[in-house]
Amino acid sequence: MIPTTYLTELATYTKDKIMKVVVNNTVEITSFYIRQVSDHTVELEYMIPHGSVVTAELIELRSNSDVVVSSNAVYIPITSDTIIKQKMKVSEVTV
C-alpha cells in the first residue's frame, strides 16, 4: 500500500507541473482562482471568458513547455464568463 503522504507528494508534483489551461487548442488561460492540493487531490479553479470560445470541447492542462498533463473531451457552452472547477485525485490502483 502506498502511504497517503507519498500520494500527496505526487499530487503536489502534478500541481506544480500545471501552468496553463488550453481550451480547444486555441485559448490559453494562465491565471487560476485556485491551484492547490488537498489530501492527495489536485484542485483547480479557473475562468473561461465569454467570447473566447462558443463551446469548450477540449480542455488540456499543460506545463510551461506545452507538455499535456491532462486532456479531457467536454461539451460546455460558454454563454457567459464560466468558472470551471476541476479535480484530479492521485490514488493507488491494485491489481
Side-chain angles (χ1 to χ4, degrees):
M1 184 163 149
I2 298 175
T4 301
T5 53
Y6 186 65
L7 294 174
T8 299
E9 266 185 59
L10 293 173
T12 300
Y13 172 81
T14 302
K15 175 200 59 99
D16 291 344
K17 292 294 270 183
I18 298 168
M19 291 297 162
K20 60 185 165 182
V21 177
V22 179
V23 181
N24 298 350
N25 289 313
T26 57
V27 177
E28 286 191 8
I29 299 165
T30 56
S31 60
F32 297 86
Y33 295 118
I34 296 173
R35 190 170 141 257
Q36 66 186 19
V37 171
S38 179
D39 295 319
H40 44 91
T41 302
V42 179
E43 298 177 11
L44 302 172
E45 186 175 297
Y46 52 89
M47 182 180 63
I48 301 175
H50 179 253
S52 60
V53 293
V54 174
T55 303
E57 296 177 1
L58 177 66
I59 295 177
E60 293 181 325
L61 305 176
R62 296 188 187 180
S63 69
N64 266 344
S65 56
D66 267 348
V67 173
V68 175
V69 175
S70 173
S71 180
N72 295 287
V74 296
Y75 181 80
I76 305 169
I78 307 299
T79 57
S80 63
D81 289 348
T82 303
I83 303 292
I84 302 293
K85 294 182 178 188
Q86 192 168 353
K87 293 184 178 184
M88 293 187 307
K89 185 174 185 173
V90 177
S91 60
E92 178 178 11
V93 177
T94 56
V95 180

